[in-house]
Amino acid sequence: QVQLVESGGGLVQPGGSLRLSCVASTSFFSIYTMAWYRQAPGKRRDLVASITGRGITNYADSVKGRFTISRDNAKNTVYLQMNSLKPEDTAVYYCYPLSSSTSWGQGTQVTVSS
């Protein structure tokens, strides 16, 4: 099992920025493709961004140009820099190692509101 601990969420005004962090407790972190998902109330959990062990990134169309995913393999940490935030970005954000069967972490709440 990989333990996942997300942090960095909060309340921010539209147009603001937040940086999310996720620490994964696994010796194999560097070989996992890591992803950020989000789930708004009453909606399904959607993929936001992913990054391979070598740093190749992929983004959902809704966040392209605003969000940046990165990772530090030495710290077993994946980040999500979120800029130009919109109210529709409000959700609980989760990180997850793709191709694993581990449990989800508790997530971190992001609320974009004036």
Side-chain angles (χ1 to χ4, degrees):
Q1 277 283 357
V2 179
Q3 285 193 318
L4 303 163
V5 181
E6 301 95 341
S7 62
L11 173 63
V12 63
Q13 292 187 342
S17 297
L18 283 174
R19 188 194 195 203
L20 307 184
S21 299
C22 168
V23 179
S25 63
T26 172
S27 300
F28 304 103
F29 179 81
S30 63
I31 65 174
Y32 276 119
T33 293
M34 294 297 297
W36 283 97
Y37 287 79
R38 66 185 180 187
Q39 187 169 23
K43 296 189 176 181
R44 67 180 186 185
R45 192 170 296 178
D46 287 330
L47 180 65
V48 174
S50 64
I51 183 168
T52 69
R54 294 186 176 185
I56 298 171
T57 59
N58 192 38
Y59 297 93
D61 287 343
S62 59
V63 306
K64 279 182 182 176
R66 299 189 298 123
F67 290 11
T68 302
I69 188 171
S70 61
R71 65 192 297 161
D72 185 337
N73 289 336
K75 295 182 178 180
N76 278 23
T77 302
V78 61
Y79 304 98
L80 188 66
Q81 177 67 43
M82 306 186 296
N83 299 328
S84 302
L85 282 161
K86 304 175 181 180
E88 51 263 44
D89 295 318
T90 295
V92 179
Y93 284 72
Y94 303 86
C95 69
Y96 197 78
L98 297 183
S99 302
S100 78
S101 58
T102 194
S103 300
W104 292 85
Q106 84 286 353
T108 186
Q109 175 71 49
V110 172
T111 303
V112 185
S113 174
S114 55

